[in-house]
């Protein structure tokens, strides 16, 4: 994963917030989905958080504590600087999720927008799902957004694995049989800052320990 770390650090050091295709000024829909599955005080993790403003919306709703995890130290440090040092209840982790030992096993929500789809190797997806299982509490919720089956084949210049919602559910079930039950799924179109349309899917799963 070393080369990926370099790639992502170069992206975040070289481009401003709204210069990356995945930028969303206010990811309200995702915040509402997270809020539907977390009460104030419930731990939430955003995996591959990058510089996402999701955390701002969660804090504004009184939710958290929120852990922000990303492979890129540059992204983590830029988010830390944007939020300020003293935002209570936000924890920053620089790590590759596929090799991370969760800091706690009682997360109520595991959120990921456009990180899982970079895992094109089966072994990395298995490690990811193993980590997700260890991090989530019994009855916790996983919210995973990826490029859909009719979405782009690459993101940030890297190849991605695209998923129809039923394919993502089947993948999780294969890696962790009967541990992730699909609750809801939606297809959506993200419009990049440059005006291109990208087809995404977002799926919500209930975790059984
Ligand atoms: C397309 S960006 C999306 C960022 C953010 N979720 C958003 O929606 O704005 C993908 C992010 O996943 C991170 N990432 C990619 N592979 C990762 C891995 N194995 N572990 C942790 N983060 C990873 C990248 O550094 C990048 O910040």
């Amino acid at each position: 994963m070393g080369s990926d770390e370099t790639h992502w650090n170069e992206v975040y050091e070289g481009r401003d917030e709204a210069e990356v295709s995945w930028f969303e000024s206010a990811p309200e829909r995702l915040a509402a989905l997270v809020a539907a599955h977390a009460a104030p005080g419930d731990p939430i993790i955003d995996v591959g958080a990058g510089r996402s403003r999701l955390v701002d919306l969660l804090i504004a709703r009184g939710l958290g504590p929120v852990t922000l995890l990303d492979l890129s130290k540059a992204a983590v440090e830029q988010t830390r600087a944007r939020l300020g040092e003293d935002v209570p209840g936000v924890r920053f982790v620089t790590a590759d999720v596929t090799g991370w030992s969760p800091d706690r096993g009682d997360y109520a929500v595991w959120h990921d927008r456009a990180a899982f789809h970079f895992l094109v190797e089966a072994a990395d997806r298995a490690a990811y799902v193993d980590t997700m299982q260890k991090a989530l509490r019994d009855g916790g919720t996983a919210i995973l957004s990826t490029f859909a089956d009719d979405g782009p084949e690459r993101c940030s210049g890297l190849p991605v694995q695209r998923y129809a919602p039923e394919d993502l559910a089947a993948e999780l079930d294969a890696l962790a049989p009967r541990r992730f039950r699909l609750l809801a799924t939606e297809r959506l179109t993200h419009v990049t800052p440059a005006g291109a349309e990208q087809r995404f899917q977002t799926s919500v799963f209930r975790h059984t320990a």
Side-chain angles (χ1 to χ4, degrees):
M1 275 288 173
S3 60
D4 281 354
E5 194 180 333
T6 303
H7 169 83
W8 288 110
N9 280 327
E10 285 175 359
V11 166
Y12 287 116
E13 282 161 5
R15 294 203 228 155
D16 288 340
E17 203 184 6
E19 289 179 335
V20 295
S21 58
W22 53 94
F23 175 68
E24 279 189 303
S25 58
E28 298 283 2
R29 176 68 190 135
L30 294 174
L33 274 179
V34 174
H37 297 279
D42 281 343
I44 296 164
I45 182 164
D46 190 13
V47 173
R51 295 183 294 208
S52 173
R53 295 189 183 186
L54 176 65
V55 62
D56 305 61
L57 301 182
L58 299 179
I59 292 168
R61 287 170 177 261
L63 296 174
V66 182
T67 299
L68 302 177
L69 180 145
D70 202 278
L71 185 58
S72 165
K73 187 170 172 53
V76 170
E77 291 307 325
Q78 288 172 25
T79 302
R80 193 199 302 269
R82 183 172 62 75
L83 294 177
E85 291 291 336
D86 295 330
V87 179
V90 180
R91 188 172 125 71
F92 301 89
V93 178
T94 303
D96 180 335
V97 64
T98 63
W100 184 56
S101 295
D103 55 334
R104 56 197 304 164
D106 65 343
Y107 282 104
V109 176
W110 172 288
H111 175 269
D112 172 339
R113 173 175 180 262
F116 182 74
H117 70 193
F118 288 107
L119 304 181
V120 295
E121 301 292 336
D124 287 336
R125 291 195 293 274
Y128 178 106
V129 172
D130 186 51
T131 302
M132 181 165 67
Q133 286 199 83
K134 288 179 178 144
L136 275 172
R137 63 171 66 160
D138 188 27
T141 304
I143 302 172
L144 302 185
S145 299
T146 67
F147 280 172
D149 47 332
D150 54 353
E153 293 178 359
R154 300 177 81 82
C155 180
S156 189
L158 299 174
V160 298
Q161 180 73 46
R162 300 178 297 172
Y163 295 92
E166 58 273 21
D167 295 340
L168 181 60
E171 177 72 7
L172 294 196
D173 202 52
L175 293 170
R178 294 176 299 285
R179 299 298 178 206
F180 291 94
R181 184 166 61 86
L182 184 63
L183 296 183
T185 190
E186 53 192 67
R187 289 177 178 269
L188 54 147
T189 300
H190 167 64
V191 180
T192 72
E197 293 193 349
Q198 297 182 329
R199 306 283 291 156
F200 272 76
Q201 68 77 39
T202 297
S203 295
V204 181
F205 299 90
R206 166 73 31 79
H207 172 58
T208 302

